Amino acid sequence: MRARRLRASLKGWGGVAAMAVVCALVAVFALCVPLYGPGTVDGQAVAQSARVKAEKADEDCEAPEKQTLSPSSADGDTIQAIKNREGDKRKLVVGVDQNSYRWGYRDPNSGKTAELEGFDIDLVRRIAEDILGDPKAVQFKAIPTNQRIPAIRDGRVDMVVRTMTINCERIADVAFSAPYFKTGQQVLAPKSSPITGYDDTLADKRICTAAGSTAYSTLEADQKKGELPATADISKTVPNQLDCLVRLQLGEADAVVTDGALAASQAAQDPTVQLKGDAFTAEYYGVAMKKDADDLVRRVNQILVDYRKDTANGWQASYDKWLSATLGKDPEKSKPPAPLYLRTT
């Protein structure tokens, strides 16, 4: 079906939590950090508004994960403005997810505070510690998938650390750090489903994706090229990935397409669903910032260099804590390649 299908398997998920955990998480999330953007989004409308720009970006763009600035520890105007914030406002303002299990989420069993935790949250705290000297000097803002770029461009956040894939369309709007994680799009469906992967078994199936996600844009492009059955229904999207899992549980969708790393975590939340087939893309997560925030991009890249080297409290330790149970003990397939920087000055 697809010549570019990649052979990557995710293993190690299992009965970490049942469907009751999902419902509990959703209930807690509704009471926590305020969300930006509408409650529902038509994926076709989102794609339509960005299509011309995306096509132009694709023409001029190759290997977007390599188009970043060289590392530096210097303080520029952007970083100095963050440090100059006074009192309680002297914090790094970061857009995150609060309902992606093991990435950025609130564990309802962790106590009354139910602080945000997960792989992305560990990275945010490391960045805050480096820039402001305090890993807790963070103001978290929970934002849905389709509001990540608007939140950056409007200045609502300093950066977004939210399982955000670096791609050609997005680098036209925001600047990215070097990659900090490697994954790929994958299909999630009930164990009893006849769906076998990203193939003809998706014909006549209702596929759920998050609005503004690379999953939706990939499905739309593949359907036009005939690489996804024309009868597959991709018309309905949701603000957040967890909403797709809920739709799957309610019988309102037949399958979910999302990053394999997120899909594995959703499978861990619900033992009645599983990953179907292999990953069919290769994608890289990066920290997103404003286009003109060169000093902040360079600083984050320097932090990532140090974070990868820190075996005791860095990338490896965070992977072991949050992701090894769902993605397997061997992290090599999730490690991005050594960074190649676009500019050195």
Side-chain angles (χ1 to χ4, degrees):
M1 176 80 179
R2 297 182 60 85
R4 60 189 173 91
R5 188 181 300 275
L6 302 177
R7 296 295 175 186
S9 61
L10 295 175
K11 58 183 178 178
W13 61 86
V16 177
M19 290 194 338
V21 174
V22 178
C23 297
L25 287 171
V26 173
V28 172
F29 301 153
L31 299 175
C32 298
V33 183
L35 293 173
Y36 289 101
T40 58
V41 181
D42 185 332
Q44 290 180 320
V46 173
Q48 179 67 31
S49 65
R51 186 171 294 120
V52 174
K53 180 172 62 180
E55 291 173 353
K56 176 61 176 173
D58 285 341
E59 291 176 3
D60 301 333
C61 171
E62 291 183 6
E65 69 277 5
K66 298 177 182 178
Q67 299 193 30
T68 190
L69 302 175
S70 59
S72 172
S73 297
D75 288 0
D77 292 342
T78 308
I79 295 175
Q80 199 58 56
I82 294 171
K83 289 185 172 183
N84 288 343
R85 291 168 182 163
E86 298 181 355
D88 293 340
K89 292 184 178 180
R90 192 176 186 272
K91 294 181 178 180
L92 188 69
V93 184
V94 186
V96 296
D97 200 350
Q98 63 172 6
N99 60 11
S100 285
Y101 186 49
R102 297 188 178 276
W103 286 90
Y105 77 114
R106 297 181 185 273
D107 184 351
N109 298 316
S110 64
K112 292 182 179 180
T113 57
E115 290 187 355
L116 280 165
E117 55 188 21
F119 188 83
D120 277 348
I121 305 304
D122 282 358
L123 177 56
V124 171
R125 295 199 182 282
R126 182 63 168 255
I127 295 171
E129 181 179 21
D130 184 274
I131 294 176
L132 294 173
D134 182 357
K136 294 187 177 181
V138 182
Q139 180 184 353
F140 292 108
K141 290 193 175 183
I143 51 177
T145 303
N146 68 307
Q147 286 295 303
R148 291 177 295 189
I149 289 176
I152 296 169
R153 297 182 69 178
D154 296 346
R156 287 179 266 160
V157 298
D158 298 318
M159 62 183 64
V160 167
V161 184
R162 191 188 181 285
T163 58
M164 190 170 179
T165 298
I166 305 167
N167 64 29
C168 292
E169 178 183 344
R170 289 172 180 166
I171 63 172
D173 292 320
V174 297
F176 278 99
S177 70
Y180 67 86
F181 203 85
K182 181 181 178 181
T183 185
Q185 295 297 316
Q186 206 156 1
V187 177
L188 183 75
K191 289 180 177 179
S192 59
S193 171
I195 293 171
T196 59
Y198 196 67
D199 52 33
D200 291 337
T201 59
L202 291 173
D204 302 314
K205 303 302 183 186
R206 299 163 297 172
I207 305 173
C208 185
T209 58
S213 67
T214 51
Y216 179 82
S217 58
T218 298
L219 295 184
E220 185 187 44
D222 285 354
Q223 202 163 52
K224 286 183 177 180
K225 292 184 292 185
E227 296 179 353
L228 175 71
T231 57
D233 181 2
I234 63 172
S235 63
K236 299 302 180 182
T237 60
V238 295
N240 291 296
Q241 284 297 339
L242 186 65
D243 300 331
C244 277
L245 179 59
V246 174
R247 282 197 174 191
L248 203 62
Q249 293 166 336
L250 294 175
E252 296 175 358
D254 301 305
V256 174
V257 172
T258 186
D259 304 342
L262 293 176
S265 292
Q266 291 183 7
Q269 290 175 276
D270 184 351
T272 71
V273 301
Q274 66 180 170
L275 292 162
K276 300 277 190 169
D278 299 324
F280 55 92
T281 65
E283 299 180 8
Y284 301 90
Y285 295 154
V287 178
M289 293 153 278
K290 272 192 172 183
K291 289 285 286 184
D292 60 353
D294 286 7
D295 62 318
L296 187 58
V297 174
R298 293 181 187 278
R299 184 64 163 269
V300 171
N301 281 343
Q302 183 60 58
I303 292 167
L304 287 174
V305 170
D306 300 335
Y307 196 56
R308 285 188 288 264
K309 291 180 179 178
D310 185 354
T311 57
N313 298 295
W315 191 98
Q316 181 67 59
S318 186
Y319 180 94
D320 291 343
K321 180 177 181 179
W322 299 112
L323 304 179
S324 61
T326 54
L327 296 179
K329 298 295 184 182
D330 183 4
E332 289 305 313
K333 66 178 180 296
S334 300
K335 287 183 178 178
L340 294 174
Y341 302 106
L342 180 66
R343 298 202 302 255
T344 57
T345 59

